[in-house]
Amino acid sequence: MKPALLEVMRMNRICRMVLATCLGSFILVIFYFQSMLHPVMRRNPFAVDICCRKGSRSPLQELYNPIQLELSNTAVLHQMRRDQVTDTCRANSAMSRKRRVLTPSDLKHLVVDEDHELIYCYVPKVACTNWKRLMMVLTGRGKYSDPMEIPANEAHVSANLKTLNQYSIPEINHRLKSYMKFLFVREPFERLVSAYRNKFTQKYNTSFHKRYGTKIIKRQRKNATQEALRKGDDVKFEEFVAYLIDPHTQREEPFNEHWQTVYSLCHPCHIHYDLVGKYETLEEDSNYVLQLAGVGSYLKFPTYAKSTRTTDEMTTEFFQNISSEHQTQLYEVYKLDFLMFNYSVPSYLKLE
């Protein structure tokens, strides 16, 4: 049975709630947040203030096309995902919306495609390299045709893609209102293990070893050797978890983007995402985005089997040596991501 179908079966209702558009004036930043008090009518993407691209429908108009909403199981699935985010934000408003105003620096993960009216919030360890490659093809105006011909390191060069924080306040507001906004998510602990494996078990990641590994070992390892303190290249997963749940860590600075929560990277309780794609249905969801953008006939999400991919079974093994106390504390850190994106509590967890 397909993961998408299983997800539909797990959902227990479709709540037709839409996000209200609000303005934040404190720091002169305009942002969107979900109405917690009054139900509002569904946003009409066919309104006159949304400009069509050269006479055709925009991706936002295609997504909310009434015919598609009535006939497409995919459209229904994505409405359910949107509603899950809305309901979670409302139920956890104190935690999810500690800040009512977003600043431009909060928008640096939102990649903008002017030509196709798309905004993509990239989440590290959720196929963001390939999606950045796709965005380079979409925004390159003929410079690129095959996303897999773009080197991975080039996809992560910030100058190759424009992000929303580079625009003026009125321009930010217009794009948040008129462009189709999407992101991709992954089971939180699988993503976390993937980040650990990539950043702390690969010898070439010396910058992470120096920046974070040395700090983690100094704080979490008793009787650490001078070599370990100097190199920081042998951080154990248990030490990494202890570092994440340490209150000092969270007071010191924000998490690195590779293990930061999705709700802190993309602000889904402030910004209304029209599509929530999932790593578990990556190819299907990605090609749906491309279809809505009008490029699906000639541009597809790159497909390849990655032998080193972090799996659920692998994640289970990594958590075997984590105490129930630390598992519980770690779950609290990522709880909103679990709830917001409809991921169940992992069966291997021993929560207190």
Side-chain angles (χ1 to χ4, degrees):
M1 189 174 292
K2 290 185 177 180
L5 183 55
L6 289 172
E7 181 183 353
V8 173
M9 294 172 65
R10 286 202 305 270
M11 292 283 195
N12 57 12
R13 63 193 176 93
I14 298 180
C15 170
R16 297 293 181 180
M17 170 78 74
V18 177
L19 305 174
T21 301
C22 293
L23 303 180
S25 57
F26 255 160
I27 315 180
L28 299 179
V29 171
I30 301 174
F31 67 93
Y32 285 59
F33 70 90
Q34 296 164 316
S35 172
M36 302 296 173
L37 300 176
H38 307 293
V40 296
M41 292 182 64
R42 185 179 301 281
R43 183 160 55 111
N44 179 10
F46 300 97
V48 292
D49 61 339
I50 295 184
C51 179
C52 301
R53 293 169 302 142
K54 298 179 182 178
S56 64
R57 292 185 188 277
S58 71
L60 198 62
Q61 290 171 319
E62 287 292 346
L63 177 65
Y64 292 105
N65 185 333
I67 296 176
Q68 178 174 223
L69 288 174
E70 290 176 10
L71 301 180
S72 169
N73 289 334
T74 302
V76 172
L77 169 64
H78 285 283
Q79 179 63 49
M80 293 168 72
R81 290 179 180 175
R82 286 192 293 273
D83 292 339
Q84 180 76 14
V85 173
T86 301
D87 290 347
T88 303
C89 290
R90 295 179 67 221
N92 298 273
S93 58
M95 184 190 309
S96 64
R97 296 180 62 236
K98 291 179 181 178
R99 299 167 53 200
R100 295 183 63 86
V101 175
L102 297 181
T103 68
S105 63
D106 294 313
L107 308 176
K108 61 186 178 182
H109 272 248
L110 278 70
V111 177
V112 180
D113 173 7
E114 297 279 359
D115 295 336
H116 303 90
E117 299 183 4
L118 299 172
I119 295 178
Y120 160 58
C121 184
Y122 72 88
V123 178
K125 310 313 299 178
V126 193
C128 79
T129 301
N130 279 348
W131 254 109
K132 284 183 177 181
R133 285 169 164 151
L134 281 172
M135 294 299 282
M136 287 176 69
V137 172
L138 290 170
T139 60
R141 299 191 176 184
K143 183 177 180 181
Y144 309 100
S145 57
D146 182 357
M148 293 311 290
E149 289 182 355
I150 302 173
N153 61 332
E154 190 174 335
H156 294 294
V157 174
S158 58
N160 286 334
L161 291 167
K162 193 167 184 179
T163 49
L164 196 58
N165 61 308
Q166 297 173 259
Y167 292 84
S168 69
I169 303 308
E171 290 172 334
I172 289 173
N173 182 44
H174 168 70
R175 282 155 184 77
L176 284 175
K177 183 178 181 181
S178 305
Y179 288 15
M180 187 177 80
K181 300 166 293 298
F182 67 98
L183 75 163
F184 280 81
V185 300
R186 184 178 186 177
E187 201 280 339
F189 284 170
E190 186 179 299
R191 174 176 169 246
L192 187 66
V193 170
S194 178
Y196 166 77
R197 291 180 64 224
N198 178 244
K199 301 306 176 186
F200 295 108
T201 69
Q202 303 297 322
K203 294 300 181 185
Y204 60 80
N205 266 324
T206 54
S207 61
F208 271 82
H209 302 160
K210 291 286 187 181
R211 171 86 189 271
Y212 297 101
T214 54
K215 185 187 300 183
I216 292 172
I217 291 172
K218 182 179 179 181
R219 290 184 188 172
Q220 307 299 335
R221 186 180 301 177
K222 295 180 179 178
N223 304 317
T225 66
Q226 287 302 310
E227 183 181 17
L229 290 169
R230 179 170 55 85
K231 291 185 175 181
D233 62 353
D234 64 341
V235 173
K236 297 179 175 62
F237 185 65
E238 297 91 319
E239 295 170 334
F240 179 52
V241 169
Y243 164 78
L244 294 176
I245 62 177
D246 185 347
H248 179 74
T249 301
Q250 299 177 43
R251 286 194 303 266
E252 183 181 53
E253 61 179 346
F255 281 178
N256 178 274
E257 62 177 10
H258 291 84
W259 48 85
Q260 180 60 281
T261 59
V262 175
Y263 79 82
S264 295
L265 288 176
C266 297
H267 312 286
C269 289
H270 293 80
I271 296 172
H272 169 51
Y273 286 92
D274 304 289
L275 277 178
V276 177
K278 291 201 168 186
Y279 194 74
E280 295 77 15
T281 51
L282 177 61
E283 185 177 352
E284 179 183 347
D285 293 342
S286 296
N287 289 330
Y288 182 51
V289 172
L290 296 173
Q291 172 195 326
L292 292 168
V295 298
S297 61
Y298 60 88
L299 186 60
K300 302 292 183 184
F301 187 81
T303 57
Y304 67 99
K306 192 174 180 181
S307 59
T308 58
R309 177 186 176 275
T310 300
T311 63
D312 181 63
E313 293 76 16
M314 197 180 294
T315 303
T316 302
E317 292 179 16
F318 271 89
F319 272 84
Q320 292 306 305
N321 295 325
I322 305 300
S323 69
S324 58
E325 179 184 4
H326 282 190
Q327 287 185 7
T328 302
Q329 290 175 290
L330 190 68
Y331 178 76
E332 287 300 314
V333 173
Y334 293 93
K335 182 178 179 179
L336 271 183
D337 280 3
F338 275 100
L339 297 175
M340 199 170 291
F341 305 116
N342 198 37
Y343 288 109
S344 359
V345 177
S347 59
Y348 55 79
L349 285 191
K350 305 179 290 289
L351 300 182
E352 292 185 343

